[in-house]
Amino acid sequence: LQDQPPEEVLPEMALRILRAYEQGPAPALMRLVLGEAMRNPRLAKLVVDTGPGRGLRIMARYLERQMDLGRLRRMDPRIATFAFVGPLLGY
């Protein structure tokens, strides 16, 4: 995955993210967990370490690798990840 071009990987990632949030109780559960995580630092750390945070770290590493290969313009890979995922979650 790390060496596949962005034009192949990013659309697939977007579809997977959208499917994950469309299935079953996922949207309501995520709103509940994220709302509680804002008030509970231990839960926030757990969410970041095991839940969506893990996926965001994987994506940031992928984007950073693509930047290293010269396929994407250099920028902070974490910000690039949020710029990619944010609109999908808003949708």
Side-chain angles (χ1 to χ4, degrees):
L1 178 69
Q2 291 292 322
D3 292 328
Q4 293 180 355
E7 59 271 11
E8 293 176 13
V9 173
L10 294 179
E12 182 62 30
M13 285 183 153
L15 285 173
R16 287 182 183 192
I17 291 168
L18 290 173
R19 283 186 195 133
Y21 286 97
E22 288 175 351
Q23 295 176 359
L29 182 60
M30 282 306 299
R31 282 193 298 275
L32 176 67
V33 168
L34 293 176
E36 286 301 313
M38 287 195 272
R39 292 186 286 274
N40 183 332
R42 287 179 39 210
L43 179 60
K45 182 176 179 356
L46 181 65
V47 168
V48 168
D49 290 346
T50 61
R54 181 174 179 263
L56 294 173
R57 285 190 304 277
I58 291 168
M59 183 158 194
R61 282 194 303 269
Y62 169 77
L63 294 175
E64 186 170 34
R65 173 72 176 145
Q66 295 305 306
M67 292 172 201
D68 291 343
L69 292 172
R71 293 178 178 163
L72 295 176
R73 183 174 52 95
R74 176 70 54 195
M75 67 178 299
D76 184 322
R78 293 169 301 170
I79 293 172
T81 298
F82 290 129
F84 180 78
V85 173
L88 295 173
L89 298 180
Y91 174 76

